[in-house]
Amino acid sequence: MLYLVSTPIGNLGDISHRALDTLRQVDYVVSEDTRRTGVLLKHFDIHKPQISFREENEKKVLPRLIRLLQEGKSLALVTDAGTPGISDPGYTLVRAAIAANIPMTAVPGPTALIPALILSGLPVHSFTFRGFPPRKPSARRRFLEIDRESPHTLIFYESPYRLREFLDDALAIYGDRPAAIANDLTKMFETIYRGHLSELKARFETEPLRGEYVVVIAGKGYASANPNTGDSEDEPAP
């Protein structure tokens, strides 16, 4: 049996009882980073062998994981933080398990994109999660261009090393739309920055960058809320 187990994105208090029970019961914990997962397991006094499964070794390790599952072993797949399979190698294991007719289930829990979305103040009824943009500038711009005409709220992950360049490209492609940037979600210094892309770009030219960021950008045609009434509406773009 394969268990896809969500783990905290910062605050260890967010882990569920079911997630802890699952981690205690399985034969192996499959981890994106065994050191980071080791800290989590140690904190909750869980002692299980870990198998490293990350982008650099997934092709090599994948056959072993499928073999263990076929032998009747139970595996819990976890990512560094949040829900496995989103912006990490978990997807390939899920696909391989489906192809091998291996039973699996998900133990739901934290994921960074949903808190960032609901805290952004932007429309939540329809959104598109795009994950991490490509690292190279030309590929990143093509990646962003795909959603230039989309009316849906857009959600991206970005590292501190490329956030400034991302904001430059987002402003150039989408125009000066309302947006929000979330950092250190669920942690002591959780911060949500809100404003137009030009304002956020100017702020982060001097703001110290650390940790991963979630960037939420209004879809095309969104009219930001009236601060006097709290009303908002979707209007066609001019």
Side-chain angles (χ1 to χ4, degrees):
M1 183 75 169
L2 174 62
Y3 298 88
L4 311 176
V5 181
S6 297
T7 54
I9 60 174
N11 190 322
L12 292 179
D14 290 337
I15 198 164
S16 70
H17 289 296
R18 184 180 170 208
L20 291 174
D21 289 343
T22 301
L23 293 172
R24 292 187 178 108
Q25 293 169 5
V26 294
D27 296 304
Y28 295 92
V29 176
V30 182
S31 310
E32 185 179 3
D33 185 329
T34 56
R35 292 169 298 181
R36 293 186 64 170
T37 301
V39 172
L40 175 73
L41 297 177
K42 183 178 180 181
H43 179 84
F44 290 105
D45 196 28
I46 298 173
H47 306 280
K48 292 291 177 178
Q50 292 190 70
I51 300 174
S52 173
F53 184 61
R54 58 189 190 279
E55 185 177 358
E56 294 80 8
N57 72 356
E58 60 180 322
K59 291 183 179 179
K60 179 180 178 181
V61 176
L62 186 59
R64 179 192 175 195
L65 299 179
I66 296 300
R67 185 171 63 253
L68 287 170
L69 289 165
Q70 290 173 329
E71 292 172 354
K73 301 296 184 182
S74 57
L75 276 59
L77 173 68
V78 302
T79 185
D80 285 352
T83 300
I86 298 178
S87 298
D88 67 33
Y91 170 78
T92 59
L93 177 55
V94 170
R95 294 296 302 170
I98 292 172
N101 293 315
I102 292 167
M104 73 179 81
T105 190
V107 181
T111 185
L113 70 98
I114 297 301
L117 173 65
I118 63 177
L119 290 169
S120 70
L122 298 173
V124 299
H125 59 278
S126 183
F127 60 90
T128 301
F129 173 64
R130 297 287 277 133
F132 282 98
R135 298 181 180 184
K136 294 184 178 180
S138 59
R140 180 173 57 244
R141 288 190 287 270
R142 290 193 299 269
F143 177 87
L144 297 177
E145 182 69 32
I146 291 171
D147 295 293
R148 189 169 66 87
E149 301 298 319
S150 172
H152 311 299
T153 301
L154 305 175
I155 307 173
F156 303 88
Y157 287 166
E158 192 52 281
S159 84
Y161 306 108
R162 292 180 295 278
L163 180 64
R164 293 185 178 112
E165 290 78 6
F166 172 89
L167 293 174
D168 287 343
D169 290 339
L171 179 59
I173 291 170
Y174 300 135
D176 201 10
R177 298 185 187 181
I181 299 177
N183 181 236
D184 280 341
L185 287 168
T186 78
K187 299 177 184 178
M188 181 180 297
F189 298 107
E190 172 180 293
T191 308
I192 310 295
Y193 305 87
R194 302 178 185 89
H196 283 72
L197 281 171
S198 62
E199 297 168 327
L200 294 171
K201 175 181 177 296
R203 176 163 198 154
F204 281 94
E205 287 174 356
T206 57
E207 189 84 14
L209 301 180
R210 49 184 172 268
E212 289 184 353
Y213 293 83
V214 185
V215 183
V216 187
I217 301 175
K220 183 177 181 181
Y222 169 72
S224 59
N226 183 323
N228 296 319
T229 66
D231 293 334
S232 64
E233 58 182 351
D234 291 320
E235 299 177 347

